[in-house]
């Protein structure tokens, strides 16, 4: 275990599985005390327990971030209590991904997706960033998505929320950066475990054919980028979106 984040505290939303879990595990492996947060207590306790078993420092705080300002404020307060009174790093990772077509999207679905993906991190940041600034600084990392810039046919609702988070990254950097709080984002590409050997490629893997990487990424790839952004190595990085997508959005895809 190294100490790139030694002595720091971190709250990672939506960290009971997938990318959020990988970030929580990577932060803890670098010496941070992490709060694993999500709706499913069983999964959350399992993740926190696994981190502790590996020698890290982790606690689970249950939270259903539906977009209500009070839910976000409550999570910030409980996380600070567990973390000894301060949050040094906030990762806004929690999100939902229903993908109906525009004409098939009802108002309830729209409100749920924007509530979880935009309102919840907005009000959580509002509850965390000013306190970070008063304490001398901190780091906020938002999760965007490659489909915020490279559209897919059924992604209008979800991709617009991720576009909002990338815009908020720049706006919050301007607002809080001068007060010592660095704000950046990661834009993941197609992230999932590869198909077992011998199986036909799935749809996600086919989307990565012809890219520089040539295959899907894993949650660990996003976690490594998050560790860098949270560490002092990225002290001069403000208001940027780091693409971790195997070249999907920046390099022309070559047909196989």
């Amino acid at each position: 275990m190294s100490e790139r984040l030694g002595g720091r505290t971190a709250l990672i939303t939506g960290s009971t599985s997938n990318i959020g879990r990988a970030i929580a595990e990577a932060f803890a492996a670098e010496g941070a005390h992490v709060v694993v947060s999500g709706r499913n207590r069983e999964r959350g306790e399992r993740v926190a327990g696994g981190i502790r078993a590996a020698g890290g420092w982790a606690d689970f705080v249950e939270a259903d971030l539906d977009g209500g300002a009070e839910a976000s404020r409550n999570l910030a307060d409980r996380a600070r209590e567990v973390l000894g009174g301060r949050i040094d790093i906030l990762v806004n990772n929690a999100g939902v991904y229903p993908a109906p077509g525009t004409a098939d999207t009802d108002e309830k679905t729209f409100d749920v997706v924007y509530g979880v993906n935009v309102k919840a991190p907005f009000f959580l940041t509002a509850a965390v960033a000013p306190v970070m600034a008063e304490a001398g600084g901190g780091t906020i990392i938002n999760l965007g998505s490659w489909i915020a810039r490279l559209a897919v046919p059924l992604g209008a609702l979800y991709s617009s929320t991720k576009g909002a988070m990338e815009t908020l990254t720049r706006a919050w950097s301007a607002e809080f950066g001068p007060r010592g709080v660095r704000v950046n984002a990661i834009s993941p590409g197609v992230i999932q475990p590869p198909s077992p050997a011998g199986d036909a490629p799935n749809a996600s893997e086919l989307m990565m054919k012809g890219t520089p990487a040539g295959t899907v990424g894993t949650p660990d790839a996003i976690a490594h980028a998050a560790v860098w952004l949270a560490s002092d190595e990225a002290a001069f990085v403000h208001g940027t979106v780091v693409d971790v997508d195997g070249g999907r959005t920046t390099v022309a895809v070559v047909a196989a």
Side-chain angles (χ1 to χ4, degrees):
M1 185 183 298
S2 63
E3 292 291 326
R4 292 164 77 190
L5 302 179
R8 300 183 198 181
T9 62
L11 166 61
I12 303 103
T13 68
S15 49
T16 61
S17 64
N18 203 16
I19 290 173
R21 174 176 183 166
I23 293 173
E25 291 172 343
F27 279 14
E30 292 290 347
H33 180 185
V34 302
V35 161
V36 175
S37 179
R39 292 175 292 182
N40 189 304
R41 174 165 289 277
E42 181 180 354
R43 288 194 311 190
E45 294 287 7
R46 189 182 307 127
V47 173
I51 290 171
R52 290 192 294 269
W57 194 1
D59 293 281
F60 172 67
V61 175
E62 187 174 354
D64 184 1
L65 297 178
D66 59 1
E70 184 55 36
S72 292
R73 286 193 291 264
N74 182 264
L75 174 58
D77 289 342
R78 288 185 294 143
R80 266 192 290 267
E81 182 177 355
V82 167
L83 294 171
R86 74 181 200 277
I87 299 169
D88 299 318
I89 306 163
L90 168 64
V91 181
N92 286 312
N93 169 72
V96 293
Y97 182 64
T102 298
D104 296 321
T105 301
D106 57 41
E107 187 173 5
K108 180 179 179 181
T109 300
F110 184 98
D111 289 343
V112 166
V113 176
Y114 262 83
V116 175
N117 292 7
V118 182
K119 282 185 67 180
F122 183 95
F123 286 111
L124 184 55
T125 299
V128 170
V131 181
M132 277 183 176
E134 290 171 7
T139 302
I140 297 173
I141 302 170
N142 299 318
L143 269 292
S145 172
W146 68 282
I147 66 170
R149 276 166 288 150
L150 188 63
V152 296
L154 293 179
L157 179 60
Y158 177 80
S159 63
S160 68
T161 66
K162 291 305 181 178
M165 288 308 298
E166 292 190 5
T167 297
L168 284 169
T169 296
R170 293 182 285 271
W172 284 336
S173 182
E175 182 176 0
F176 297 113
R179 299 167 62 188
V181 179
R182 289 193 303 110
V183 186
N184 292 288
I186 300 171
S187 178
V190 182
I191 303 294
Q192 67 174 49
S195 296
D199 286 7
N202 60 39
S204 296
E205 289 172 309
L206 290 173
M207 281 195 291
M208 291 300 292
K209 288 188 68 176
T211 64
T215 188
V216 297
T218 65
D220 285 344
I222 310 306
H224 294 319
V227 167
W228 174 68
L229 282 174
S231 74
D232 291 340
E233 296 163 13
F236 202 53
V237 181
H238 289 259
T240 195
V241 178
V242 178
D243 293 317
V244 186
D245 63 5
R248 187 68 179 82
T249 59
T250 54
V251 179
V253 174
V254 179

